[in-house]
Amino acid sequence: MKARVRVTLKTGVLDPQGKAIGHALEGMGFAGLGEIRQGKLIEIDLAERDPAKARAQVEEMCRKLLANPVMERYAIDIEG
Amino acid sequence: MKAAVVIFPGSNREHDIAAALEASSGRKPVFVWHGEAEIPPVDLIVLPGGFSHGDYLRCGAMAAHSPVMRAVKTRAEQGVAVLGVCNGFQILTEAGLLPGALLVNAGRKFICRNVNLRVETSQSLFTNRYERDQVLSVPMAHNEGNYVADGDELDRLEGEGLVAFRYCRADGGTGDNPNGSARDIAGVFNRSKTVLGMMPHPENASDPAVGSIDGKGLFDSLAAALK
């Protein structure tokens, strides 16, 4: 199975990189932009065949390493 | 005072810390590689600055899971003093030994310059040779030093006197915060004030040859408290 983990900064946590991207896009002429937030995408190949077990395994990875709960949140997608 | 300096892949300034420790205590510290599961009996464990594991994922995230960190946690729980400077501070927050986290600087730039620090308390192993409200000129050199914690945590840190240093102007007043840190925080203690993490580098202001010895008081404090 394949897991995709999206890690993003929590609402309210300053994201200077997202702001810089916004400034660049505005400078290129893109109009009507709201807030821009940058995150991370982590793809993990798993030997596990059971989707529930795979999700539980990736949850543990997120809690222990992939995300820092002080400043980040995460979302997990599991694909067959 | 016997001290151990932990080296991670990508640590730097570890020899500067070692020189500052030796100058204040008269003893050379031992170096311990991050892959070691044990740390010799010491009074102080130091996590130096640098870019452990290339700062990949998040600064200090991978180093916080190094084998040596289990020993650091055990010793810290036993009350052994632990100092983390710069990347060492980031590692201590990632390891859960200190509250909060360190984000990219608000101005998006790596900042390498001297900053003014106000000593918030002289009542600690690390600051007993300073006066409260004393202003120190110490270098900082980092890209991720913007201290964050939720509001309740910040209130608790302040209420319990666990803020060690704040960024300030040369006259000690607020208004010069280089990286956006919450409440100008540059360094924090754990609950028992036996663990200190700070972003600026006192070891690089410990020798008259580099223009400031304002950081030397921290190592003198440790040497006095941990004879």
Side-chain angles (χ1 to χ4, degrees):
Chain A
M1 313 206 78
K2 183 167 225 154
R4 281 204 174 83
V5 179
R6 276 173 293 139
V7 181
T8 47
L9 288 169
K10 282 181 175 173
T11 311
V13 172
L14 179 70
D15 179 6
Q17 294 182 99
K19 279 204 185 332
I21 293 166
H23 290 315
L25 289 172
E26 280 168 3
M28 293 160 71
F30 291 97
L33 303 176
E35 194 179 16
I36 294 176
R37 312 281 284 172
Q38 180 182 303
K40 295 169 196 155
L41 176 67
I42 303 164
E43 294 181 326
I44 307 168
D45 285 325
L46 298 162
E48 180 60 57
R49 293 276 154 231
D50 180 272
K53 284 183 186 162
R55 180 173 292 277
Q57 195 181 13
V58 177
E59 278 277 350
E60 191 182 356
M61 293 178 198
C62 288
R63 283 199 309 274
K64 289 187 171 169
L65 180 68
L66 301 181
N68 180 334
V70 175
M71 54 185 171
E72 293 170 330
R73 67 170 121 222
Y74 58 85
I76 301 169
D77 291 318
I78 303 284
E79 293 169 13
Chain B
M1 173 180 74
K2 284 185 283 184
V5 178
V6 179
I7 303 181
F8 299 90
S11 288
N12 63 26
R13 307 192 186 207
E14 68 271 21
H15 291 285
D16 299 353
I17 287 256
L21 290 166
E22 187 179 354
S24 291
S25 72
R27 296 184 74 145
K28 279 187 196 296
V30 295
F31 289 104
V32 178
W33 181 239
H34 78 116
E36 300 288 333
E38 298 293 333
I39 298 173
V42 290
D43 309 302
L44 170 72
I45 298 168
V46 179
L47 309 188
F51 306 86
S52 57
H53 300 277
D55 280 349
Y56 294 165
L57 190 63
R58 292 180 310 279
C59 302
M62 252 79 88
H65 294 277
S66 285
V68 77
M69 287 306 294
R70 282 195 289 275
V72 173
K73 280 184 197 176
T74 304
R75 294 291 179 82
E77 283 161 12
Q78 292 165 349
V80 172
V82 179
L83 168 67
V85 170
C86 198
N87 190 223
F89 183 13
Q90 295 162 341
I91 295 167
L92 289 173
T93 61
E94 285 284 343
L97 284 166
L98 288 173
L102 293 140
L103 285 175
V104 66
N105 295 340
R108 301 191 301 273
K109 286 200 167 69
F110 189 102
I111 305 170
C112 183
R113 67 169 170 90
N114 270 40
V115 286
N116 298 302
L117 297 181
R118 189 171 67 234
V119 179
E120 294 293 306
T121 175
S122 61
Q123 304 294 309
S124 80
L125 297 175
F126 304 89
T127 57
N128 58 74
R129 290 297 172 101
Y130 292 126
E131 301 290 332
R132 187 179 170 183
D133 293 334
Q134 188 176 340
V135 177
L136 315 176
S137 175
V138 173
M140 65 179 260
H142 62 247
N143 194 59
E144 288 87 3
N146 179 356
Y147 186 75
V148 293
D150 71 37
D152 290 346
E153 186 77 48
L154 292 169
D155 289 343
R156 182 187 71 80
L157 286 170
E158 299 200 288
E160 295 180 16
L162 302 179
V163 176
F165 301 103
R166 284 185 219 264
Y167 301 108
C168 67
R169 298 191 315 245
D171 65 3
T174 54
D176 190 0
N177 179 336
N179 53 24
S181 285
R183 304 189 193 181
D184 302 329
I185 290 173
V188 294
F189 298 113
N190 68 340
R191 269 207 159 93
S192 57
K193 290 168 89 171
T194 51
V195 179
L196 168 67
M198 62 189 296
M199 288 310 298
H201 290 271
E203 74 277 19
N204 294 128
S206 294
D207 187 319
V210 297
S212 168
I213 56 164
D214 288 359
K216 188 172 188 301
L218 187 139
F219 302 99
D220 288 345
S221 297
L222 286 165
L226 303 172
K227 268 188 190 126

